[in-house]
Amino acid sequence: MSPQPAPADLPCLADPMATFPIRTFGDPVLRLETKPINEIDKAVHTLAQDMIETMYDAPGVGLAANQIGISRRIAVFDAQDELGPRVMINPEIVETAGEFEMEEGCLSVPGHWWEITRPAFARVKALDLDGNEVEYAGDGLLGRVLQHEVAHLDGGLLIDALPRRDRKKALKELRNENLGLT
Ligand SMILES: [Zn+2]
């Protein structure tokens, strides 16, 4: 069955963009390695737009597709610099340098922040929505958000970057919270 075409003289009232619920700690999709994107078609463009909308709505500075339940290798970010919102498809970290401790939170682990040490600088190679190879590189918030989002796409979460003792404590907290024990 085909949908009835909308009358041509009426404006389309539907919001062309949509936001998705964000999957949280304990959802197994967050722990799966995402699959690369082979074809950047219209569906991928729509997904990227919806992910940007979802990220700003949260609000957040980065979002990986598996955080909305889509196990594909695409993430969006806005490191609050002149770049604005960016899309990275099939990103890979190709270089890191230094060390930097920063308070880090995650939309999938709401209400928690930890001081997390990661490399200060990161360089990522990816494809943009036109299929061009692009590079994003920097330190500060940009370096951090690049590493955080690529880790998501590998099935990682920020607590993985904590030292062992702190990670055990964080896991216990999160499990108790999920069980309604806190
Ligand atoms: Zn996150």
Side-chain angles (χ1 to χ4, degrees):
M1 192 179 127
S2 304
Q4 234 180 347
D9 59 338
L10 284 178
C12 179
L13 297 176
D15 184 345
M17 293 199 268
T19 60
F20 286 87
I22 294 173
R23 305 297 184 91
T24 54
F25 177 81
D27 190 318
V29 76
L30 294 171
R31 285 307 199 178
L32 292 176
E33 194 181 346
T34 54
K35 292 196 179 72
I37 289 178
N38 299 319
E39 195 192 341
I40 302 168
D41 55 13
K42 193 161 173 288
V44 172
H45 281 250
T46 305
L47 172 63
Q49 283 305 321
D50 290 346
M51 285 173 63
I52 289 170
E53 182 86 344
T54 301
M55 170 180 77
Y56 284 139
D57 190 57
V61 295
L63 186 76
N66 46 344
Q67 290 185 276
I68 55 165
I70 296 169
S71 193
R72 304 303 299 272
R73 201 167 179 86
I74 175 172
V76 299
F77 65 93
D78 182 341
Q80 300 175 337
D81 55 15
E82 68 287 350
L83 287 176
R86 285 290 181 270
V87 178
M88 43 183 185
I89 296 169
N90 301 339
E92 297 292 345
I93 292 175
V94 293
E95 186 189 348
T96 57
E99 201 177 271
F100 179 46
E101 190 184 78
M102 186 180 184
E103 191 166 78
E104 201 174 314
C106 176
L107 296 175
S108 291
V109 193
H112 294 269
W113 286 267
W114 290 280
E115 292 289 337
I116 292 182
T117 303
R118 298 189 195 258
F121 171 88
R123 181 187 306 279
V124 165
K125 272 192 178 171
L127 299 175
D128 66 14
L129 282 170
D130 297 317
N132 299 315
E133 207 170 271
V134 285
E135 265 192 21
Y136 301 114
D139 52 17
L141 181 61
L142 176 60
R144 184 54 61 113
V145 79
L146 291 171
Q147 295 175 73
H148 183 111
E149 299 315 321
V150 172
H152 268 303
L153 297 174
D154 291 334
L157 280 173
L158 78 173
I159 47 172
D160 306 344
L162 288 170
R164 205 169 77 96
R165 185 171 295 184
D166 295 346
R167 187 167 65 238
K168 276 180 85 170
K169 200 169 147 241
L171 277 170
K172 200 173 165 196
E173 258 177 54
L174 293 170
R175 284 186 184 134
N176 284 344
E177 195 179 286
N178 272 6
L179 292 170
L181 297 177
T182 55

